[in-house]
């Protein structure tokens, strides 16, 4: 697994996405799957940057692992911030209009729908979110 550790700040989003995209270029991942993965990583990283260390800051490690048979990429985001399981919240009611829907949760919902697997673990005092996508 190749990893990148950065301070969990929005200013580092470009560096994170460039790292993930460079790792995806080493695979046979199609353009649609690569786009979905990038959007998912962006959503997850932004959540860590905004909420994991509030009001302070800390690091997040992004790991990328790919497999050839079957074509699969797994990405983990690991932080030492406050415990938070993004899968513990109910999905938003997307049948409601934006005005009638509660604020929050739509980004995680989109990640869950676009990835083949999303899981959360709390390991050794760290949040570990893993997303997987077959291609």
């Amino acid at each position: 697994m190749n990893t990148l550790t950065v301070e969990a700040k929005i200013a580092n989003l470009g560096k994170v996405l460039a790292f993930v995209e460079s790792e995806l270029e080493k695979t046979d991942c199609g353009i649609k799957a690569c786009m979905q993965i990038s959007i998912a990583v962006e959503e997850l990283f932004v959540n860590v940057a905004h909420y994991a260390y509030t009001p302070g800051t800390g690091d997040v490690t992004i790991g990328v692992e790919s497999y050839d048979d079957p074509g699969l990429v797994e990405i983990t985001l690991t932080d030492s911030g406050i415990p938070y399981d993004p899968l513990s919240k109910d999905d938003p009611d997307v049948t409601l209009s934006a005005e009638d829907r509660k604020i929050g949760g739509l980004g995680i919902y989109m990640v869950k729908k676009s990835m083949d697997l999303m899981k959360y673990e709390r390991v050794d005092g760290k949040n570990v979110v893993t997303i997987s996508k077959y291609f």
Side-chain angles (χ1 to χ4, degrees), residues 6-14 16-17 37-54 56-57 60 62 77 79 84 86 107-108 111 129:
V6 297
E7 191 174 3
K9 295 182 350 183
I10 297 299
N12 287 326
L13 178 59
V16 168
L17 293 177
I37 293 166
S38 291
I39 290 169
V41 169
E42 179 175 349
E43 177 62 32
L44 295 171
F45 179 81
V46 167
N47 281 352
V48 172
H50 281 151
Y51 304 114
Y53 297 103
T54 302
T57 189
V60 59
I62 296 86
L77 284 87
D79 68 78
Y84 177 68
I108 295 298
V111 172
V129 174

Side-chain angles (χ1 to χ4, degrees), residues 2-48:
N2 292 326
T3 62
L4 171 72
T5 301
V6 297
E7 191 174 3
K9 295 182 350 183
I10 297 299
N12 287 326
L13 178 59
K15 186 183 290 186
V16 168
L17 293 177
F19 167 72
V20 170
E21 289 166 9
S22 73
E23 292 300 310
L24 292 175
E25 287 176 1
K26 300 174 187 175
T27 71
D28 289 329
C29 186
I31 207 158
K32 179 180 177 184
C34 287
M35 176 90 53
Q36 290 172 322
I37 293 166
S38 291
I39 290 169
V41 169
E42 179 175 349
E43 177 62 32
L44 295 171
F45 179 81
V46 167
N47 281 352
V48 172

Side-chain angles (χ1 to χ4, degrees), residues 96-103:
L96 298 174
S97 68
E99 296 81 27
D100 294 332
R101 196 170 40 233
K102 290 182 189 177
I103 293 176

Side-chain angles (χ1 to χ4, degrees), residues 55-75:
T57 189
D59 289 339
V60 59
T61 299
I62 296 86
V64 179
E65 182 81 35
S66 63
Y67 306 90
D68 291 331
D69 190 22
L72 171 70
V73 66
E74 292 182 332
I75 299 176

